[in-house]
Amino acid sequence: MTDDISLSGDYASDRRAKAHRAWKSAETIKRLSDRLIGIGPFGLGVDGVLAWVPGAGLVYGIGAGALLVAHGFMAGASAATLARMTAYLVVDNLSDTIPVAGWAFDTLFPAHLMAAKALQKDIEARHGLPEDVAAERARKKRGLFGRGKGR
């Protein structure tokens, strides 16, 4: 017979692992969709390029957005986070229905990036960063010579 503590521990670690996989998937989607090419604070990705191809931008936007929201559900994101993500994605995909002006808006509006960041922030608050991401951020924070700030 198994004890309740080990079952709940396995469940918690499984939820955390799912959430961290969702965090990494969101990272991939935001880079692919809105930050393949970074130009200062602006970026261009597959979503912005396909926005100029009638129908293709809408198909990509809906598909990538649905994948982000699905990852949010699997990660156990809050209803508020899922609603915020959905709002960004709806605005983005509605803009694809307006020729030229809507396509230009879609090119400049990083909805997938914003939705992915909202999901990642929710996951970080509930489960922390994935270990490899946390280690990489700590390494970058230490700087070139391994010294922290203020030393």
Side-chain angles (χ1 to χ4, degrees), residues 18-130:
K18 282 183 183 179
H20 286 169
R21 283 193 300 274
W23 192 99
K24 289 180 180 182
S25 293
E27 184 70 20
T28 301
I29 292 169
K30 81 179 182 187
R31 285 191 180 159
L32 182 63
S33 294
D34 295 315
R35 292 297 289 183
L36 275 178
I37 300 170
I39 306 161
F42 302 102
L44 184 63
V46 173
D47 186 43
V49 172
L50 289 179
W52 296 92
V53 181
L58 187 59
V59 169
Y60 176 83
I62 290 172
L67 189 58
L68 272 172
V69 172
H71 283 300
F73 276 113
M74 289 187 293
S78 71
T81 297
L82 293 170
R84 186 170 50 251
M85 291 170 63
T86 302
Y88 295 143
L89 298 165
V90 166
V91 168
D92 185 54
N93 290 314
L94 284 178
S95 71
D96 273 346
T97 62
I98 304 168
V100 185
W103 302 339
F105 175 80
D106 189 20
T107 300
L108 299 174
F109 183 63
H112 293 95
L113 181 133
M114 294 166 67
K117 283 185 175 182
L119 175 58
Q120 289 175 319
K121 186 176 178 180
D122 186 284
I123 291 169
E124 288 173 29
R126 293 170 186 267
H127 304 284
L129 279 171

